[in-house]
Amino acid sequence: IEGAVSAGPTTVGSGQGMAVAFVRNALGDGQISRNAGTIPGGRFLNADSSNPRRPLPERLVGMISFIVPAHNEENWIGHCLDCIRGAMESVGGAYEVIVVDDASDDATGAIARGKDVRLLHVTLRNIAAVRNTGAREAIGEVHFFVDADTRVNGPAVKAALLALRDGAVGGGCIP
């Protein structure tokens, strides 16, 4: 992997951008970079400036792994996971969702468990380490790192996939 991008917590309302980071597992070996938070040679993607109407090729990528780090996110995690599912219903293709619950003492884990996701429990209290834990468990060719308080939508996922096809290594959608 060239690198990983960290996108800060974002509360997203109608018409605003979203914080999403993605990494293509170019090596195909499931290894994650130790320098998470950097994008060597990468670029940022703003889904609004891309052309979300451009059709996706039949097979743009293999499986997508959505990795959601979470700590005490009971107010947001359910909606975040529902949005990921809705986005992928519109985009199509194979995907998995991995929630990495980092020492939550609220209902975050229970809510995630009820959403048919892979749930991992850690006590790391370091967002990069939590993301890397999820990435090590992911089986997708492409990793999307999505903050638990973020609403993912189909056009943003599609724009990110098109950017990957065009050579982007990582990015974040911004308002």
Side-chain angles (χ1 to χ4, degrees), residues 4-159:
V5 175
S6 172
T10 304
T11 302
V12 181
S14 174
Q16 293 181 321
M18 74 170 107
V20 176
F22 54 89
V23 173
R24 181 179 200 102
N25 187 348
L27 302 176
D29 61 5
Q31 296 300 305
I32 185 75
S33 171
R34 291 187 185 273
N35 64 340
T38 64
I39 333 169
R43 64 180 181 180
F44 284 96
L45 164 74
N46 183 336
D48 296 332
S49 65
S50 180
N51 183 354
R53 291 186 176 84
R54 184 168 40 167
L56 284 174
E58 285 278 329
R59 181 169 150 67
L60 182 60
V61 296
M63 178 179 241
I64 299 171
S65 295
F66 289 89
I67 300 158
V68 183
H71 173 73
N72 290 340
E73 297 285 357
E74 69 182 0
N75 293 327
W76 303 105
I77 191 74
H79 191 65
C80 173
L81 299 175
D82 290 343
C83 287
I84 291 171
R85 182 174 320 277
M88 288 309 294
E89 286 173 2
S90 73
V91 171
Y95 72 101
E96 68 174 341
V97 179
I98 300 170
V99 173
V100 186
D101 183 5
D102 187 15
S104 293
D105 56 14
D106 66 0
T108 298
I111 293 167
R113 191 175 306 107
K115 297 291 185 178
D116 192 31
V117 301
R118 285 178 46 198
L119 178 63
L120 307 175
H121 294 281
V122 297
T123 305
L124 299 171
R125 303 303 301 130
N126 176 303
I127 191 68
V130 174
R131 287 185 181 117
N132 286 347
T133 297
R136 277 191 295 277
E137 296 295 321
I139 60 174
E141 177 185 349
V142 174
H143 299 170
F144 281 78
F145 298 90
V146 180
D147 289 343
D149 61 356
T150 300
R151 299 175 189 170
V152 174
N153 62 54
V157 171
K158 184 176 175 182

